[in-house]
Amino acid sequence: MAQITAAMVKELREKTSAGMMDCKKALNETGGDLEAAADWLRTKGIAKADKKSSRVAAEGLVAATTNGTTGTLTEVNSETDFVSRNDEFQTAVRHIADLSLDAEGDTAKLAQMETKTGQSVTDFLVTLVAKIGENMGLRRTTLLSVSQGVVTTYMHNAVADNLGKIGVLVALESSGDKDALEALGKKIAMHVAATAPLALDVDSLDPADVEKERNALIAEARESGKPEAIIEKMVDGRMQKFFKESVLMQQIFVMDGENTIEQVVETEAKTLGTPIKLTGFSRMQLGEGIEKVQEDFAAEVAATRGND
């Protein structure tokens, strides 16, 4: 076996932009042949993928999938919206979304699951990075499940079936007619996509969010110069308004503008003659929380002209 030197590893790294350990492995696999090692890295999808991995990937797709009583949302990012319309990328995202049903909402577990190529999801995407030419990666997955009933999916701004920019899951626990439950779940999911509630009910709200809102309202009310007792009542009233706007069960259903979501569920339960419990929802919006790099092309051109 040929001796693999640090200089050989360095040269291959410079040629392919692959990681040091990957370069060393490639050289070992090919008996120290530099060109063969570069080909080996390209075949494995490693060459140049590391170089792309530092670039911000805030576009891509959210995928929704369900088997009836279990549903998942999965976000896979790419650098540009153009790639989200690539058939190969869409096929890859669908495949990962199908695997997510067995990942139990655990992103780390999903990343290590075996794909149809025999690779882990992480390595599967590395191969795709090298092939398509953009940084991409699995960002997150979430899961909802019921013992009986349905988990309904809805995709807003869909670019293909169950692929788009905003995905929603709604879980309804009930022994009622599945088609009726699906229809109800779809309507509520569309409502969630539009209103982005913070929680299912008041008890599910993050205490830190509630405290932050209350403190902001207190500070605002004190500027009026009113007595503390009056301020307390003002804040209590405004907090109730905050709950009605932020909590799904208390929100006014966007499709009728009159009933709360809680009332909508109760009405359907009476129609079906069996209890229905809205046990949870999830809303996943592509790229939320990712800081995107804003390119100022005019400034770049001006800077270039200044160096002439």
Side-chain angles (χ1 to χ4, degrees):
M1 181 179 291
Q3 182 178 359
I4 308 303
T5 66
M8 294 166 67
V9 172
K10 181 175 182 292
E11 185 177 356
L12 182 59
R13 180 172 170 76
E14 290 173 350
K15 181 180 179 67
T16 64
S17 297
M20 182 178 68
M21 295 307 295
D22 288 322
C23 288
K24 185 175 180 180
K25 183 176 181 180
L27 287 165
N28 280 324
E29 291 286 337
T30 58
D33 186 319
L34 189 66
E35 292 302 321
D39 288 339
W40 186 90
L41 287 168
R42 278 191 289 271
T43 300
K44 297 296 182 182
I46 297 169
K48 299 185 180 179
D50 282 1
K51 187 174 182 180
K52 296 180 177 69
S53 67
S54 63
R55 304 199 305 232
V56 175
E59 298 295 337
L61 291 168
V62 172
T65 187
T66 180
N67 67 1
T69 57
T70 299
T72 65
L73 295 173
T74 304
E75 180 179 358
V76 180
N77 296 127
S78 62
E79 290 180 55
T80 66
D81 181 62
F82 179 77
V83 165
S84 70
R85 300 175 188 280
N86 176 291
D87 288 341
E88 190 167 10
F89 180 71
Q90 290 183 7
T91 298
V93 174
R94 280 199 178 93
H95 179 46
I96 293 170
D98 288 341
L99 294 175
S100 71
L101 287 168
D102 293 322
E104 302 173 330
D106 187 330
T107 305
K109 180 177 179 179
L110 177 57
Q112 296 305 313
M113 290 181 69
E114 185 176 330
T115 64
K116 58 189 176 184
T117 65
Q119 300 168 292
S120 68
V121 167
T122 297
D123 290 340
F124 177 62
L125 287 172
V126 167
T127 302
L128 206 57
V129 169
K131 189 170 186 179
I132 293 180
E134 277 197 15
N135 184 26
M136 58 188 70
L138 169 66
R139 186 181 182 209
R140 54 182 170 163
T141 188
T142 187
L143 177 146
L144 289 181
S145 185
V146 293
S147 58
Q148 64 174 345
V150 299
V151 175
T152 304
T153 65
Y154 170 69
M155 188 60 62
H156 187 65
N157 288 339
V159 299
D161 289 346
N162 296 318
L163 298 175
K165 306 295 184 182
I166 299 176
V168 178
L169 299 177
V170 169
L172 297 172
E173 189 85 39
S174 177
S175 61
D177 178 75
K178 291 291 193 298
D179 289 341
L181 292 173
E182 280 284 354
L184 174 64
K186 187 73 71 178
K187 291 177 182 177
I188 295 173
M190 293 171 72
H191 170 97
V192 170
T195 63
L198 297 179
L200 178 65
D201 50 36
V202 174
D203 290 339
S204 301
L205 277 168
D206 186 335
D209 289 338
V210 175
E211 186 67 16
K212 181 180 178 180
E213 183 67 19
R214 177 173 284 278
N215 289 339
L217 292 174
I218 289 173
E220 181 183 328
R222 280 178 177 158
E223 291 182 1
S224 68
K226 291 183 171 61
E228 286 295 317
I230 300 297
I231 288 174
E232 188 67 25
K233 290 181 180 180
M234 288 172 60
V235 170
D236 285 344
R238 290 175 183 176
M239 284 301 296
Q240 290 305 311
K241 183 173 183 288
F242 168 71
F243 293 145
K244 289 178 180 178
E245 292 174 347
S246 306
V247 170
L248 177 59
M249 297 302 284
Q250 293 190 21
Q251 286 182 334
I252 298 297
F253 187 35
V254 294
M255 291 187 181
D256 68 21
E258 297 179 3
N259 297 292
T260 64
I261 294 296
E262 184 174 19
Q263 290 169 332
V264 170
V265 173
E266 289 175 352
T267 298
E268 187 64 21
K270 289 178 181 177
T271 300
L272 295 182
T274 186
I276 302 173
K277 184 177 182 181
L278 175 50
T279 59
F281 75 92
S282 181
R283 181 182 187 275
M284 186 176 288
Q285 183 166 342
L286 179 69
E288 59 187 347
I290 299 177
E291 186 175 347
K292 299 182 182 181
V293 177
Q294 300 297 322
E295 301 289 353
D296 189 339
F297 294 108
E300 287 184 15
V301 171
T304 302
R305 289 178 62 85
N307 291 329
D308 289 345

